[in-house]
Every structure is written in C-alpha cells, then in structure tokens.
PDB file of all heavy atoms in Angstrom:
ATOM      1  N   VAL A1130       0.893  -1.151   0.000  1.00 73.00           N
ATOM      2  CA  VAL A1130      -0.003   0.006  -0.008  1.00 73.00           C
ATOM      3  C   VAL A1130       0.929   1.193  -0.004  1.00 73.00           C
ATOM      4  O   VAL A1130       1.789   1.336   0.869  1.00 73.00           O
ATOM      5  CB  VAL A1130      -0.907   0.031   1.257  1.00 73.00           C
ATOM      6  CG1 VAL A1130      -1.755   1.284   1.270  1.00 73.00           C
ATOM      7  CG2 VAL A1130      -1.776  -1.205   1.321  1.00 73.00           C
ATOM      8  N   GLU A1131       0.792   2.057  -1.011  1.00 75.00           N
ATOM      9  CA  GLU A1131       1.732   3.174  -1.128  1.00 75.00           C
ATOM     10  C   GLU A1131       1.079   4.499  -0.746  1.00 75.00           C
ATOM     11  O   GLU A1131      -0.123   4.661  -0.844  1.00 75.00           O
ATOM     12  CB  GLU A1131       2.225   3.276  -2.571  1.00 75.00           C
ATOM     13  CG  GLU A1131       3.076   2.093  -2.986  1.00 75.00           C
ATOM     14  CD  GLU A1131       3.672   2.258  -4.353  1.00 75.00           C
ATOM     15  OE1 GLU A1131       2.913   2.104  -5.319  1.00 75.00           O
ATOM     16  OE2 GLU A1131       4.874   2.599  -4.438  1.00 75.00           O
ATOM     17  N   HIS A1132       1.949   5.400  -0.310  1.00 77.00           N
ATOM     18  CA  HIS A1132       1.564   6.770  -0.029  1.00 77.00           C
ATOM     19  C   HIS A1132       2.797   7.636  -0.179  1.00 77.00           C
ATOM     20  O   HIS A1132       3.911   7.137  -0.215  1.00 77.00           O
ATOM     21  CB  HIS A1132       0.955   6.921   1.370  1.00 77.00           C
ATOM     22  CG  HIS A1132       1.920   6.597   2.473  1.00 77.00           C
ATOM     23  ND1 HIS A1132       2.782   7.534   3.011  1.00 77.00           N
ATOM     24  CD2 HIS A1132       2.197   5.439   3.114  1.00 77.00           C
ATOM     25  CE1 HIS A1132       3.519   6.982   3.926  1.00 77.00           C
ATOM     26  NE2 HIS A1132       3.195   5.718   4.011  1.00 77.00           N
ATOM     27  N   ARG A1133       2.593   8.946  -0.287  1.00 86.00           N
ATOM     28  CA  ARG A1133       3.742   9.841  -0.387  1.00 86.00           C
ATOM     29  C   ARG A1133       4.559   9.783   0.887  1.00 86.00           C
ATOM     30  O   ARG A1133       4.012   9.739   2.001  1.00 86.00           O
ATOM     31  CB  ARG A1133       3.279  11.286  -0.637  1.00 86.00           C
ATOM     32  CG  ARG A1133       2.696  11.526  -2.010  1.00 86.00           C
ATOM     33  CD  ARG A1133       2.439  13.009  -2.262  1.00 86.00           C
ATOM     34  NE  ARG A1133       2.133  13.804  -1.081  1.00 86.00           N
ATOM     35  CZ  ARG A1133       0.930  14.076  -0.614  1.00 86.00           C
ATOM     36  NH1 ARG A1133      -0.128  13.565  -1.221  1.00 86.00           N
ATOM     37  NH2 ARG A1133       0.743  14.815   0.460  1.00 86.00           N
ATOM     38  N   ALA A1134       5.882   9.765   0.753  1.00 82.00           N
ATOM     39  CA  ALA A1134       6.765   9.658   1.919  1.00 82.00           C
ATOM     40  C   ALA A1134       6.586  10.821   2.879  1.00 82.00           C
ATOM     41  O   ALA A1134       6.728  10.633   4.107  1.00 82.00           O
ATOM     42  CB  ALA A1134       8.224   9.613   1.449  1.00 82.00           C
ATOM     43  N   ASP A1135       6.206  11.990   2.394  1.00 91.00           N
ATOM     44  CA  ASP A1135       6.054  13.158   3.273  1.00 91.00           C
ATOM     45  C   ASP A1135       4.633  13.299   3.830  1.00 91.00           C
ATOM     46  O   ASP A1135       4.326  14.242   4.553  1.00 91.00           O
ATOM     47  CB  ASP A1135       6.442  14.438   2.521  1.00 91.00           C
ATOM     48  CG  ASP A1135       5.544  14.733   1.333  1.00 91.00           C
ATOM     49  OD1 ASP A1135       4.779  13.841   0.909  1.00 91.00           O
ATOM     50  OD2 ASP A1135       5.623  15.859   0.812  1.00 91.00           O
ATOM     51  N   ASP A1136       3.746  12.353   3.552  1.00 90.00           N
ATOM     52  CA  ASP A1136       2.366  12.407   4.004  1.00 90.00           C
ATOM     53  C   ASP A1136       2.198  11.611   5.298  1.00 90.00           C
ATOM     54  O   ASP A1136       1.818  10.454   5.302  1.00 90.00           O
ATOM     55  CB  ASP A1136       1.444  11.879   2.922  1.00 90.00           C
ATOM     56  CG  ASP A1136      -0.034  11.963   3.282  1.00 90.00           C
ATOM     57  OD1 ASP A1136      -0.369  12.366   4.423  1.00 90.00           O
ATOM     58  OD2 ASP A1136      -0.864  11.628   2.414  1.00 90.00           O
ATOM     59  N   THR A1137       2.472  12.251   6.425  1.00 87.00           N
ATOM     60  CA  THR A1137       2.368  11.584   7.729  1.00 87.00           C
ATOM     61  C   THR A1137       0.916  11.363   8.148  1.00 87.00           C
ATOM     62  O   THR A1137       0.649  10.442   8.911  1.00 87.00           O
ATOM     63  CB  THR A1137       3.100  12.375   8.825  1.00 87.00           C
ATOM     64  OG1 THR A1137       2.557  13.703   8.864  1.00 87.00           O
ATOM     65  CG2 THR A1137       4.598  12.445   8.521  1.00 87.00           C
ATOM     66  N   VAL A1138       0.001  12.144   7.620  1.00 91.00           N
ATOM     67  CA  VAL A1138      -1.402  11.971   7.953  1.00 91.00           C
ATOM     68  C   VAL A1138      -1.883  10.620   7.435  1.00 91.00           C
ATOM     69  O   VAL A1138      -2.600   9.887   8.103  1.00 91.00           O
ATOM     70  CB  VAL A1138      -2.270  13.127   7.369  1.00 91.00           C
ATOM     71  CG1 VAL A1138      -3.757  12.846   7.538  1.00 91.00           C
ATOM     72  CG2 VAL A1138      -1.896  14.449   8.039  1.00 91.00           C
ATOM     73  N   THR A1139      -1.464  10.261   6.232  1.00 88.00           N
ATOM     74  CA  THR A1139      -1.837   8.960   5.661  1.00 88.00           C
ATOM     75  C   THR A1139      -0.888   7.878   6.158  1.00 88.00           C
ATOM     76  O   THR A1139      -1.318   6.766   6.473  1.00 88.00           O
ATOM     77  CB  THR A1139      -1.787   9.032   4.116  1.00 88.00           C
ATOM     78  OG1 THR A1139      -2.651  10.065   3.682  1.00 88.00           O
ATOM     79  CG2 THR A1139      -2.189   7.707   3.504  1.00 88.00           C
ATOM     80  N   GLY A1140       0.404   8.175   6.220  1.00 84.00           N
ATOM     81  CA  GLY A1140       1.409   7.188   6.608  1.00 84.00           C
ATOM     82  C   GLY A1140       1.221   6.635   8.007  1.00 84.00           C
ATOM     83  O   GLY A1140       1.442   5.452   8.243  1.00 84.00           O
ATOM     84  N   GLY A1141       0.831   7.499   8.924  1.00 86.00           N
ATOM     85  CA  GLY A1141       0.651   7.048  10.318  1.00 86.00           C
ATOM     86  C   GLY A1141      -0.327   5.896  10.450  1.00 86.00           C
ATOM     87  O   GLY A1141      -0.002   4.856  11.003  1.00 86.00           O
ATOM     88  N   PRO A1142      -1.567   6.076   9.958  1.00 87.00           N
ATOM     89  CA  PRO A1142      -2.532   4.991  10.078  1.00 87.00           C
ATOM     90  C   PRO A1142      -2.167   3.737   9.251  1.00 87.00           C
ATOM     91  O   PRO A1142      -2.569   2.625   9.587  1.00 87.00           O
ATOM     92  CB  PRO A1142      -3.822   5.598   9.536  1.00 87.00           C
ATOM     93  CG  PRO A1142      -3.650   7.063   9.644  1.00 87.00           C
ATOM     94  CD  PRO A1142      -2.187   7.303   9.490  1.00 87.00           C
ATOM     95  N   LEU A1143      -1.375   3.927   8.184  1.00 83.00           N
ATOM     96  CA  LEU A1143      -0.994   2.768   7.364  1.00 83.00           C
ATOM     97  C   LEU A1143       0.181   1.992   7.969  1.00 83.00           C
ATOM     98  O   LEU A1143       0.393   0.817   7.611  1.00 83.00           O
ATOM     99  CB  LEU A1143      -0.619   3.221   5.953  1.00 83.00           C
ATOM    100  CG  LEU A1143      -1.759   3.731   5.079  1.00 83.00           C
ATOM    101  CD1 LEU A1143      -1.228   4.233   3.743  1.00 83.00           C
ATOM    102  CD2 LEU A1143      -2.826   2.669   4.901  1.00 83.00           C
ATOM    103  N   ALA A1144       0.958   2.609   8.836  1.00 80.00           N
ATOM    104  CA  ALA A1144       2.151   1.965   9.385  1.00 80.00           C
ATOM    105  C   ALA A1144       1.916   0.574   9.995  1.00 80.00           C
ATOM    106  O   ALA A1144       2.704  -0.347   9.751  1.00 80.00           O
ATOM    107  CB  ALA A1144       2.829   2.880  10.411  1.00 80.00           C
ATOM    108  N   PRO A1145       0.815   0.364  10.729  1.00 82.00           N
ATOM    109  CA  PRO A1145       0.601  -0.979  11.297  1.00 82.00           C
ATOM    110  C   PRO A1145       0.356  -2.043  10.244  1.00 82.00           C
ATOM    111  O   PRO A1145       0.451  -3.239  10.540  1.00 82.00           O
ATOM    112  CB  PRO A1145      -0.638  -0.792  12.201  1.00 82.00           C
ATOM    113  CG  PRO A1145      -0.738   0.650  12.447  1.00 82.00           C
ATOM    114  CD  PRO A1145      -0.133   1.343  11.254  1.00 82.00           C
ATOM    115  N   LEU A1146       0.040  -1.645   9.020  1.00 80.00           N
ATOM    116  CA  LEU A1146      -0.181  -2.615   7.961  1.00 80.00           C
ATOM    117  C   LEU A1146       1.112  -3.179   7.386  1.00 80.00           C
ATOM    118  O   LEU A1146       1.091  -4.149   6.642  1.00 80.00           O
ATOM    119  CB  LEU A1146      -1.009  -1.982   6.818  1.00 80.00           C
ATOM    120  CG  LEU A1146      -2.385  -1.493   7.178  1.00 80.00           C
ATOM    121  CD1 LEU A1146      -3.031  -0.825   5.985  1.00 80.00           C
ATOM    122  CD2 LEU A1146      -3.241  -2.623   7.695  1.00 80.00           C
ATOM    123  N   THR A1147       2.233  -2.559   7.720  1.00 78.00           N
ATOM    124  CA  THR A1147       3.510  -3.010   7.198  1.00 78.00           C
ATOM    125  C   THR A1147       3.926  -4.289   7.934  1.00 78.00           C
ATOM    126  O   THR A1147       4.115  -4.303   9.139  1.00 78.00           O
ATOM    127  CB  THR A1147       4.598  -1.930   7.398  1.00 78.00           C
ATOM    128  OG1 THR A1147       4.206  -0.782   6.645  1.00 78.00           O
ATOM    129  CG2 THR A1147       5.949  -2.429   6.892  1.00 78.00           C
ATOM    130  N   HIS A1148       4.076  -5.346   7.188  1.00 81.00           N
ATOM    131  CA  HIS A1148       4.536  -6.645   7.710  1.00 81.00           C
ATOM    132  C   HIS A1148       6.026  -6.735   7.442  1.00 81.00           C
ATOM    133  O   HIS A1148       6.431  -6.701   6.268  1.00 81.00           O
ATOM    134  CB  HIS A1148       3.747  -7.750   7.005  1.00 81.00           C
ATOM    135  CG  HIS A1148       4.111  -9.107   7.442  1.00 81.00           C
ATOM    136  ND1 HIS A1148       4.885  -9.957   6.680  1.00 81.00           N
ATOM    137  CD2 HIS A1148       3.800  -9.775   8.576  1.00 81.00           C
ATOM    138  CE1 HIS A1148       5.020 -11.096   7.313  1.00 81.00           C
ATOM    139  NE2 HIS A1148       4.385 -11.016   8.457  1.00 81.00           N
ATOM    140  N   PRO A1149       6.856  -6.796   8.459  1.00 85.00           N
ATOM    141  CA  PRO A1149       8.317  -6.711   8.265  1.00 85.00           C
ATOM    142  C   PRO A1149       8.881  -7.723   7.262  1.00 85.00           C
ATOM    143  O   PRO A1149       9.702  -7.379   6.416  1.00 85.00           O
ATOM    144  CB  PRO A1149       8.889  -6.935   9.670  1.00 85.00           C
ATOM    145  CG  PRO A1149       7.805  -6.467  10.573  1.00 85.00           C
ATOM    146  CD  PRO A1149       6.510  -6.842   9.887  1.00 85.00           C
ATOM    147  N   ALA A1150       8.438  -8.965   7.314  1.00 89.00           N
ATOM    148  CA  ALA A1150       8.970  -9.976   6.389  1.00 89.00           C
ATOM    149  C   ALA A1150       8.557  -9.639   4.958  1.00 89.00           C
ATOM    150  O   ALA A1150       9.361  -9.778   4.021  1.00 89.00           O
ATOM    151  CB  ALA A1150       8.493 -11.368   6.792  1.00 89.00           C
ATOM    152  N   THR A1151       7.320  -9.217   4.781  1.00 86.00           N
ATOM    153  CA  THR A1151       6.853  -8.860   3.444  1.00 86.00           C
ATOM    154  C   THR A1151       7.616  -7.642   2.929  1.00 86.00           C
ATOM    155  O   THR A1151       7.967  -7.563   1.752  1.00 86.00           O
ATOM    156  CB  THR A1151       5.340  -8.595   3.457  1.00 86.00           C
ATOM    157  OG1 THR A1151       4.682  -9.764   3.939  1.00 86.00           O
ATOM    158  CG2 THR A1151       4.812  -8.236   2.071  1.00 86.00           C
ATOM    159  N   ARG A1152       7.884  -6.689   3.802  1.00 86.00           N
ATOM    160  CA  ARG A1152       8.658  -5.504   3.406  1.00 86.00           C
ATOM    161  C   ARG A1152      10.057  -5.893   2.933  1.00 86.00           C
ATOM    162  O   ARG A1152      10.591  -5.362   1.980  1.00 86.00           O
ATOM    163  CB  ARG A1152       8.741  -4.517   4.597  1.00 86.00           C
ATOM    164  CG  ARG A1152       9.511  -3.256   4.262  1.00 86.00           C
ATOM    165  CD  ARG A1152       8.804  -2.531   3.142  1.00 86.00           C
ATOM    166  NE  ARG A1152       9.710  -1.620   2.479  1.00 86.00           N
ATOM    167  CZ  ARG A1152       9.332  -0.428   2.028  1.00 86.00           C
ATOM    168  NH1 ARG A1152       8.105  -0.030   2.176  1.00 86.00           N
ATOM    169  NH2 ARG A1152      10.194   0.331   1.420  1.00 86.00           N
ATOM    170  N   THR A1153      10.667  -6.887   3.603  1.00 91.00           N
ATOM    171  CA  THR A1153      11.977  -7.382   3.197  1.00 91.00           C
ATOM    172  C   THR A1153      11.918  -7.918   1.767  1.00 91.00           C
ATOM    173  O   THR A1153      12.800  -7.616   0.943  1.00 91.00           O
ATOM    174  CB  THR A1153      12.463  -8.480   4.177  1.00 91.00           C
ATOM    175  OG1 THR A1153      12.596  -7.893   5.463  1.00 91.00           O
ATOM    176  CG2 THR A1153      13.749  -9.112   3.741  1.00 91.00           C
ATOM    177  N   LEU A1154      10.897  -8.704   1.455  1.00 92.00           N
ATOM    178  CA  LEU A1154      10.741  -9.270   0.129  1.00 92.00           C
ATOM    179  C   LEU A1154      10.470  -8.179  -0.898  1.00 92.00           C
ATOM    180  O   LEU A1154      11.028  -8.208  -2.004  1.00 92.00           O
ATOM    181  CB  LEU A1154       9.638 -10.307   0.124  1.00 92.00           C
ATOM    182  CG  LEU A1154       9.828 -11.488   1.090  1.00 92.00           C
ATOM    183  CD1 LEU A1154       8.602 -12.404   1.067  1.00 92.00           C
ATOM    184  CD2 LEU A1154      11.087 -12.241   0.788  1.00 92.00           C
ATOM    185  N   LEU A1155       9.665  -7.213  -0.541  1.00 90.00           N
ATOM    186  CA  LEU A1155       9.376  -6.080  -1.399  1.00 90.00           C
ATOM    187  C   LEU A1155      10.654  -5.329  -1.761  1.00 90.00           C
ATOM    188  O   LEU A1155      10.904  -5.022  -2.935  1.00 90.00           O
ATOM    189  CB  LEU A1155       8.398  -5.130  -0.713  1.00 90.00           C
ATOM    190  CG  LEU A1155       8.135  -3.788  -1.365  1.00 90.00           C
ATOM    191  CD1 LEU A1155       7.283  -3.950  -2.606  1.00 90.00           C
ATOM    192  CD2 LEU A1155       7.482  -2.856  -0.396  1.00 90.00           C
ATOM    193  N   ASP A1156      11.482  -5.082  -0.776  1.00 91.00           N
ATOM    194  CA  ASP A1156      12.745  -4.378  -1.015  1.00 91.00           C
ATOM    195  C   ASP A1156      13.619  -5.124  -2.020  1.00 91.00           C
ATOM    196  O   ASP A1156      14.195  -4.548  -2.928  1.00 91.00           O
ATOM    197  CB  ASP A1156      13.514  -4.143   0.278  1.00 91.00           C
ATOM    198  CG  ASP A1156      12.833  -3.156   1.207  1.00 91.00           C
ATOM    199  OD1 ASP A1156      11.939  -2.415   0.753  1.00 91.00           O
ATOM    200  OD2 ASP A1156      13.197  -3.144   2.407  1.00 91.00           O
ATOM    201  N   ALA A1157      13.732  -6.432  -1.840  1.00 95.00           N
ATOM    202  CA  ALA A1157      14.580  -7.248  -2.740  1.00 95.00           C
ATOM    203  C   ALA A1157      14.043  -7.202  -4.161  1.00 95.00           C
ATOM    204  O   ALA A1157      14.813  -7.040  -5.122  1.00 95.00           O
ATOM    205  CB  ALA A1157      14.633  -8.683  -2.228  1.00 95.00           C
ATOM    206  N   GLU A1158      12.728  -7.358  -4.340  1.00 94.00           N
ATOM    207  CA  GLU A1158      12.140  -7.379  -5.674  1.00 94.00           C
ATOM    208  C   GLU A1158      12.248  -6.022  -6.358  1.00 94.00           C
ATOM    209  O   GLU A1158      12.554  -5.948  -7.547  1.00 94.00           O
ATOM    210  CB  GLU A1158      10.681  -7.801  -5.582  1.00 94.00           C
ATOM    211  CG  GLU A1158      10.506  -9.266  -5.172  1.00 94.00           C
ATOM    212  CD  GLU A1158       9.054  -9.683  -5.051  1.00 94.00           C
ATOM    213  OE1 GLU A1158       8.152  -8.916  -5.507  1.00 94.00           O
ATOM    214  OE2 GLU A1158       8.807 -10.766  -4.502  1.00 94.00           O
ATOM    215  N   ARG A1159      12.009  -4.960  -5.632  1.00 92.00           N
ATOM    216  CA  ARG A1159      12.051  -3.635  -6.245  1.00 92.00           C
ATOM    217  C   ARG A1159      13.456  -3.265  -6.692  1.00 92.00           C
ATOM    218  O   ARG A1159      13.626  -2.580  -7.695  1.00 92.00           O
ATOM    219  CB  ARG A1159      11.542  -2.583  -5.260  1.00 92.00           C
ATOM    220  CG  ARG A1159      10.058  -2.572  -5.177  1.00 92.00           C
ATOM    221  CD  ARG A1159       9.570  -1.367  -4.434  1.00 92.00           C
ATOM    222  NE  ARG A1159       8.157  -1.176  -4.658  1.00 92.00           N
ATOM    223  CZ  ARG A1159       7.463  -0.238  -4.062  1.00 92.00           C
ATOM    224  NH1 ARG A1159       8.055   0.609  -3.253  1.00 92.00           N
ATOM    225  NH2 ARG A1159       6.191  -0.117  -4.300  1.00 92.00           N
ATOM    226  N   VAL A1160      14.473  -3.702  -5.958  1.00 95.00           N
ATOM    227  CA  VAL A1160      15.834  -3.388  -6.359  1.00 95.00           C
ATOM    228  C   VAL A1160      16.169  -4.043  -7.691  1.00 95.00           C
ATOM    229  O   VAL A1160      16.881  -3.469  -8.502  1.00 95.00           O
ATOM    230  CB  VAL A1160      16.844  -3.771  -5.256  1.00 95.00           C
ATOM    231  CG1 VAL A1160      18.266  -3.744  -5.756  1.00 95.00           C
ATOM    232  CG2 VAL A1160      16.686  -2.834  -4.066  1.00 95.00           C
TER     233      VAL A1160
END
C-alpha cells in the first residue's frame, strides 16, 4: 500500500499494515 513519503497523515494509520517480512521481500524485488 503506497503513499507519499512526506504524508504523515496517511502514513501514520498505514504503518501498522507493514509486515516486516513482506517488506523485506518487497525491497529485494524492487531493487
């Protein structure tokens, strides 16, 4: 789920949706 990096109003509520293991895989694939 994407949002602008500088948008803390949206980013704050979305933060709990970040699953650390999934984020790791996302980082590898995007690179």
Side-chain angles (χ1 to χ4, degrees):
V1130 176
E1131 293 185 285
H1132 64 87
R1133 288 188 333 266
D1135 64 346
D1136 183 356
T1137 57
V1138 172
T1139 303
L1143 291 177
L1146 298 177
T1147 298
H1148 180 256
T1151 303
R1152 181 60 201 218
T1153 297
L1154 301 176
L1155 171 73
D1156 291 345
E1158 292 178 13
R1159 282 191 165 177
V1160 168

